[in-house]
Amino acid sequence: MATADHFKKVSGLVKQVTSLCKQADDVYTDERLRASLLQATKQLAVALEKPADAVFQTAFLPGQTMCVRIAIDLGLFEMIVEHDSGKGRITAKELAVRSQAEQLLIVRIMRILAETGFVAEDGEETYSATPLTVQMCWPAYQGCIKHHFDFGAKALIELSQYFKNNGYRSPTSVIAGPFQQAFNTDLPTFEYWATLPGVMQTFNTYMTGNHDTRPSWIDWYPVEERLLKDAKADNAAVLMVDIAGGRGHYLAAFKDKFPHARGRMILQEVPNVIRDVQGLDSSIERMEHDMFEPQPVKGR
């Protein structure tokens, strides 16, 4: 039951949100303000939500992700955006015809997507695009959902039994953890993924896109002062090693921003990822390396 203190907290959060909204005409032009406003609205939502509702929402979260995952397979996000930019709203019947899925299934999936903001429901079984719909057309974000749902979710399901079987201790082996238990394999995670067609391509696309949409450390870290000022003026010396660096996106960005930097730049990754690297500057060395093994590159 709500108390006077609880109502006071809600009132305080409402005032905080109102105050933050008055600080700029467009919160999206000020990242610090946007983040503060988002945090305040989240706290307000938590304060207003009934505890029982919060429990049920948590229980059904995997179902929400499942609907997004199926929508990716069916191409629903692309269909909605394409239709939205041309003819406007699209119906469940049209989506069913184009995707060749059952209309009732489409309606059920779209019901969840509309509730969570992935699409807008403009009328009975009628939908249009939201900014999130557009975002979900990007290969990197589709790769994010695919990767974490197909592999992360299954491993998470096994965690409860894994910890119960292992005395509630953190995993210490790369070949005998919850992932191996979930997928019935004794291979390390990346080696197992490499046995499945397309999985590493999806993972690398996700990782590269994740980098492209976030502020890079080279934009805020004092690189010149901390890294380059006292670095050896020697092209043979090692300047930077990116361990498990994917396709080398961080090293490529670093080289673009600091072309005058001298020294070797080395990308270390497992063999199947190194083989997938394309378009990376030839001066950046590729080195096959398992990050769980001793580091072969030594500074001097």
Side-chain angles (χ1 to χ4, degrees), residues 212-277:
D212 291 341
T213 57
R214 295 175 180 271
S216 174
W217 67 272
I218 64 175
D219 294 327
W220 52 263
Y221 187 79
V223 172
E224 293 281 4
E225 178 185 344
R226 300 281 182 88
L227 298 181
L228 302 183
K229 181 180 177 181
D230 297 321
K232 291 182 179 180
D234 180 0
N235 288 331
V238 176
L239 174 64
M240 184 176 298
V241 179
D242 191 354
I243 304 169
R247 292 171 174 164
H249 37 272
Y250 282 119
L251 290 176
F254 186 93
K255 185 172 181 61
D256 285 343
K257 187 160 185 176
F258 305 101
H260 58 284
R262 302 187 65 180
R264 296 166 59 196
M265 290 193 288
I266 303 171
L267 169 66
Q268 291 184 341
E269 258 293 2
V270 292
N272 54 291
V273 176
I274 290 292
R275 289 193 294 268
D276 191 48
V277 174

Side-chain angles (χ1 to χ4, degrees), residues 96-203:
V97 170
R98 292 187 60 180
S99 67
Q100 299 185 347
E102 179 192 36
Q103 184 173 337
L104 177 60
L105 177 62
I106 293 293
V107 171
R108 288 172 169 171
I109 291 172
M110 296 300 287
R111 187 176 296 144
I112 301 300
L113 297 183
E115 170 64 24
T116 52
F118 280 88
V119 301
E121 187 170 16
D122 301 315
E124 186 175 356
E125 298 185 10
T126 305
Y127 316 98
S128 62
T130 68
L132 191 48
T133 318
V134 176
Q135 197 81 36
M136 285 310 304
C137 292
W138 292 23
Y141 290 95
Q142 292 191 1
C144 172
I145 296 294
K146 287 180 180 180
H147 182 77
H148 288 291
F149 186 79
D150 295 358
F151 294 102
K154 189 170 182 178
L156 286 174
I157 289 172
E158 291 291 332
L159 274 178
S160 176
Q161 190 62 46
Y162 174 86
F163 285 128
K164 188 178 296 183
N165 293 343
N166 292 276
Y168 294 94
R169 299 290 186 273
S170 297
T172 58
S173 170
V174 298
I175 59 172
F179 182 91
Q180 285 69 33
Q181 179 173 305
F183 291 92
N184 191 29
T185 180
D186 57 2
L187 292 174
T189 302
F190 276 88
E191 289 185 26
Y192 178 77
W193 289 341
T195 67
L196 305 176
V199 170
M200 287 308 304
Q201 174 70 24
T202 296
F203 176 76

Side-chain angles (χ1 to χ4, degrees), residues 5-6 30 39 49 57 60 68 85 175 224 244 257 267:
D5 287 342
H6 188 77
D30 185 332
Q39 181 63 24
E49 190 170 41
Q57 182 176 348
F60 288 113
V68 177
S85 61
I175 59 172
E224 293 281 4
K257 187 160 185 176
L267 169 66

